[in-house]
Amino acid sequence: MTKAKPSTRSRAYAARPKDETIPSEQPVRPKGKPARSRQPISKAKPTRSAQLTKLLRRKSGASMAQIQTAFGWQPHTVRAAISAQRKAGHRIERTRSDTGPVYRIVTEGAKP
């Protein structure tokens, strides 16, 4: 009767002490360079939330279809983003039109 040899993988891990790390698992970064460079805030692209707020502040507001086209979102994502705007303290008015619901920011400020 012959004993089955343990797999190569288990032998490699068994031979290594538990607190020692494998060199390939260590992060590689050139010395002297920052971990990540960031753009100055003045040149940063506006967030989607800020872009949505700008659309909703227009006198005519923004329809569901316009928001979907502007951001490439599905309808449920548009509704969630509008809900987030409400939670942020904006009062949003919803009116119906032949093209669908139209959303508009009426007032902003702290929650009542």
Side-chain angles (χ1 to χ4, degrees), residues 2 12 47 69 72 82 85 91 93 105:
T2 25
T47 62
T69 304
I82 290 171
Q85 292 288 321
R91 185 167 171 264
E93 178 183 82
I105 290 180

Side-chain angles (χ1 to χ4, degrees), residues 25 40 58 66-67 70 72 79 85 97-98:
E25 292 177 356
R58 299 185 304 188
Q66 289 172 334
I67 297 170
R79 288 189 295 271
Q85 292 288 321
S97 71
D98 15 332

Side-chain angles (χ1 to χ4, degrees), residues 4-5 9 23 36 39 69 90 102:
K5 290 183 180 179
R9 181 181 173 100
R36 182 178 166 190
Q39 290 181 341
T69 304
H90 300 288
V102 176

Side-chain angles (χ1 to χ4, degrees), residues 47-62:
T47 62
R48 288 190 178 208
S49 177
Q51 292 173 0
L52 178 62
T53 304
K54 187 176 178 182
L55 276 176
L56 295 174
R57 279 188 181 147
R58 299 185 304 188
K59 275 187 178 179
S60 60

Side-chain angles (χ1 to χ4, degrees), residues 5-79:
K5 290 183 180 179
S7 70
T8 311
R9 181 181 173 100
S10 62
R11 275 189 276 147
Y13 283 103
R16 179 172 48 95
K18 292 195 182 237
D19 60 335
E20 185 182 321
T21 58
I22 298 173
S24 63
E25 292 177 356
Q26 295 174 350
V28 178
R29 182 168 33 118
K31 294 188 184 217
K33 285 197 165 193
R36 182 178 166 190
S37 62
R38 296 184 181 207
Q39 290 181 341
I41 293 177
S42 61
K43 292 186 179 183
K45 183 179 176 184
T47 62
R48 288 190 178 208
S49 177
Q51 292 173 0
L52 178 62
T53 304
K54 187 176 178 182
L55 276 176
L56 295 174
R57 279 188 181 147
R58 299 185 304 188
K59 275 187 178 179
S60 60
S63 71
M64 175 83 74
Q66 289 172 334
I67 297 170
Q68 281 182 264
T69 304
F71 297 106
W73 289 345
Q74 295 292 320
H76 62 276
T77 309
V78 172
R79 288 189 295 271

